[in-house]
Amino acid sequence: MTRLSLTTRVALLFALWTAIPLGVVAIYNHFAAREQLRASTRAQNLQAARGTVEKLDLYLQDILNGVRTVASVPSLAKFLAGRGIREAASDAQASSLGLRKIGGYEALYLTDQLGTVILATERRFLGRSYLAARWFRAAAAGQELADEFRFDTEDRRVYLHLSAPVRNAGGVIVGALVGRVTTAPIDRMVAGDSGYSGRG
C-alpha cells in the first residue's frame, strides 16, 4: 500500500476543511428555503381564508339588512294591529315575496308577539309557534339576529334564521319578521376556500 505524500495529505485535509462547512451551509439553505416556501404558502392560504370570511360576513349582513328593511314597512305593524287588515296583508305579502325573490331567502314569515306565524310566503308556515326560538326571543327583545344554523324538526332540514323586530308607529314591538336561508349559499363560499396544497 502506497503512503500518501505530505502534500497530498495536506491537500485532502484542506479540501475536507472547506467542503464540510460548504455542505453544512448548503443543507441549512435547503431547509431555510423549504421553511420560507412553507411560510409563504401558509400566508397565501390565510389570506384566501380571510377573503372568504369577509365574503361570508358581507353575505350575512346583506340578508339581515333585507329582513330589517322589510320589518320597518308600516303595513306589517298595521297588519299585526288588525287595522285595514286586508290591504295591510296584501302590502305585507307583496313586501315579503319581493324580499324573498331578491334576497334568495328560502322563506319569510311574520309572527305576532307570542311567536305564532300569522303571515308567510308559504301557507304551510301559518300557525307554527316559535315562542321558544332564540331568533324570535331576540326580536321580541328589540334585537336583530342572524342565528346559528339549526335543524328544523318540521321540515327536517338545516336553516339559518334571521330576525328583526316589527314596531308600530309608537316604537312598541308588535311582532317579528323572520327570514330563513338554507346552507347552500354558505356551502358554496366555503367550498371555494378548501383543498389547499392538496390537503382537502
Side-chain angles (χ1 to χ4, degrees):
M1 183 173 172
T2 58
R3 295 183 66 185
L4 296 173
S5 68
L6 182 61
T7 308
T8 306
R9 280 186 278 177
V10 168
L12 283 171
L13 283 172
F14 182 75
L16 284 171
W17 186 257
T18 53
I20 289 171
L22 287 174
V24 169
V25 168
I27 291 168
Y28 172 78
N29 285 340
H30 171 73
F31 283 107
R34 274 182 64 182
E35 189 53 41
Q36 190 175 10
L37 180 63
R38 193 175 296 149
S40 173
T41 302
R42 256 196 311 263
Q44 287 174 351
N45 292 348
L46 188 58
Q47 186 58 42
R50 281 193 185 114
T52 299
V53 168
E54 287 172 9
K55 276 197 293 187
L56 284 168
D57 189 49
L58 285 171
Y59 169 71
L60 292 174
Q61 284 300 322
D62 192 42
I63 56 177
L64 185 57
N65 284 341
V67 171
R68 178 191 302 126
T69 301
V70 174
S72 66
V73 172
S75 57
L76 293 186
K78 285 179 186 173
F79 177 73
L80 286 164
R83 294 195 305 273
I85 196 159
R86 185 171 292 167
E87 183 184 341
S90 176
D91 290 348
Q93 191 78 5
S95 297
S96 296
L97 288 169
L99 175 62
R100 180 182 179 186
K101 190 173 182 180
I102 294 166
Y105 300 87
E106 192 270 341
L108 287 127
Y109 31 87
L110 178 68
T111 74
D112 61 15
Q113 289 175 306
L114 298 176
T116 303
V117 177
I118 58 171
L119 187 69
T121 50
E122 294 179 44
R123 294 187 62 81
R124 64 193 176 97
F125 295 112
L126 297 177
R128 286 191 190 183
S129 176
Y130 291 106
L131 182 63
R134 183 169 172 250
W135 42 263
F136 169 75
R137 293 196 316 271
Q143 301 166 351
E144 296 161 358
L145 179 71
D147 198 7
E148 299 171 7
F149 279 103
R150 296 188 187 276
F151 183 75
D152 187 303
T153 53
E154 294 194 49
D155 286 356
R156 319 261 331 138
R157 288 183 67 189
V158 176
Y159 297 101
L160 174 69
H161 290 85
L162 306 107
S163 60
V166 176
R167 300 176 188 271
N168 64 18
V172 177
I173 297 169
V174 292
L177 181 69
V178 182
R180 74 179 193 179
V181 294
T182 65
T183 60
I186 291 175
D187 287 343
R188 282 194 296 271
M189 289 183 216
V190 173
D193 193 25
S194 60
Y196 294 129
S197 306
R199 292 193 296 271

Short mmCIF file of all heavy atoms in Angstrom, two decimals, residues 42 52 58 69 72 79 90 158 172 174 199:
data_model
loop_
_atom_site.label_atom_id
_atom_site.label_comp_id
_atom_site.label_asym_id
_atom_site.label_seq_id
_atom_site.Cartn_x
_atom_site.Cartn_y
_atom_site.Cartn_z
N ARG A 42 -48.46 29.23 3.67
CA ARG A 42 -49.38 29.44 4.79
C ARG A 42 -50.00 30.83 4.73
O ARG A 42 -51.19 31.02 4.96
CB ARG A 42 -48.63 29.26 6.11
CG ARG A 42 -48.90 27.94 6.81
CD ARG A 42 -48.46 27.95 8.25
NE ARG A 42 -47.12 28.44 8.45
CZ ARG A 42 -46.04 27.70 8.57
NH1 ARG A 42 -46.13 26.40 8.49
NH2 ARG A 42 -44.85 28.24 8.77
N THR A 52 -62.55 34.78 2.29
CA THR A 52 -63.80 34.03 2.40
C THR A 52 -64.61 34.49 3.60
O THR A 52 -65.84 34.64 3.52
CB THR A 52 -63.52 32.52 2.50
OG1 THR A 52 -62.85 32.11 1.32
CG2 THR A 52 -64.80 31.71 2.64
N LEU A 58 -70.17 39.77 4.67
CA LEU A 58 -70.96 40.64 3.81
C LEU A 58 -72.30 40.00 3.44
O LEU A 58 -73.34 40.66 3.41
CB LEU A 58 -70.19 40.98 2.54
CG LEU A 58 -69.05 41.99 2.70
CD1 LEU A 58 -68.23 42.07 1.41
CD2 LEU A 58 -69.60 43.36 3.07
N THR A 69 -85.05 45.82 6.71
CA THR A 69 -85.75 46.80 5.86
C THR A 69 -87.23 46.48 5.76
O THR A 69 -88.09 47.36 5.92
CB THR A 69 -85.11 46.83 4.46
OG1 THR A 69 -83.73 47.20 4.59
CG2 THR A 69 -85.81 47.83 3.56
N SER A 72 -89.43 47.12 8.79
CA SER A 72 -89.78 48.52 9.06
C SER A 72 -90.92 49.03 8.16
O SER A 72 -91.36 50.17 8.30
CB SER A 72 -88.55 49.41 8.87
OG SER A 72 -88.14 49.41 7.51
N PHE A 79 -100.91 45.37 9.93
CA PHE A 79 -101.49 44.02 9.85
C PHE A 79 -101.54 43.38 11.23
O PHE A 79 -102.55 42.79 11.62
CB PHE A 79 -100.66 43.17 8.89
CG PHE A 79 -101.15 41.75 8.80
CD1 PHE A 79 -102.32 41.44 8.12
CD2 PHE A 79 -100.44 40.72 9.40
CE1 PHE A 79 -102.77 40.13 8.03
CE2 PHE A 79 -100.89 39.41 9.32
CZ PHE A 79 -102.05 39.12 8.64
N SER A 90 -102.11 42.46 2.11
CA SER A 90 -101.67 42.45 0.72
C SER A 90 -100.33 43.14 0.55
O SER A 90 -99.43 42.64 -0.11
CB SER A 90 -102.74 43.14 -0.14
OG SER A 90 -102.31 43.22 -1.47
N VAL A 158 -81.69 21.82 7.69
CA VAL A 158 -80.95 22.81 8.47
C VAL A 158 -81.10 24.19 7.82
O VAL A 158 -80.94 24.32 6.60
CB VAL A 158 -79.45 22.43 8.56
CG1 VAL A 158 -78.65 23.50 9.29
CG2 VAL A 158 -79.29 21.08 9.26
N VAL A 172 -93.35 50.57 19.71
CA VAL A 172 -93.61 49.36 20.50
C VAL A 172 -93.45 48.13 19.61
O VAL A 172 -93.93 48.11 18.46
CB VAL A 172 -95.03 49.39 21.11
CG1 VAL A 172 -95.34 48.10 21.87
CG2 VAL A 172 -95.17 50.60 22.02
N VAL A 174 -94.40 44.83 18.13
CA VAL A 174 -95.68 44.14 17.98
C VAL A 174 -95.54 42.76 17.32
O VAL A 174 -96.51 42.04 17.15
CB VAL A 174 -96.69 45.00 17.18
CG1 VAL A 174 -97.08 46.22 18.01
CG2 VAL A 174 -96.11 45.42 15.84
N ARG A 199 -54.55 19.20 0.57
CA ARG A 199 -54.85 18.61 1.87
C ARG A 199 -56.34 18.41 2.08
O ARG A 199 -56.75 17.91 3.11
CB ARG A 199 -54.28 19.50 2.98
CG ARG A 199 -52.78 19.52 3.02
CD ARG A 199 -52.29 20.15 4.31
NE ARG A 199 -52.68 21.54 4.42
CZ ARG A 199 -51.98 22.56 3.97
NH1 ARG A 199 -50.84 22.34 3.33
NH2 ARG A 199 -52.37 23.80 4.13
#
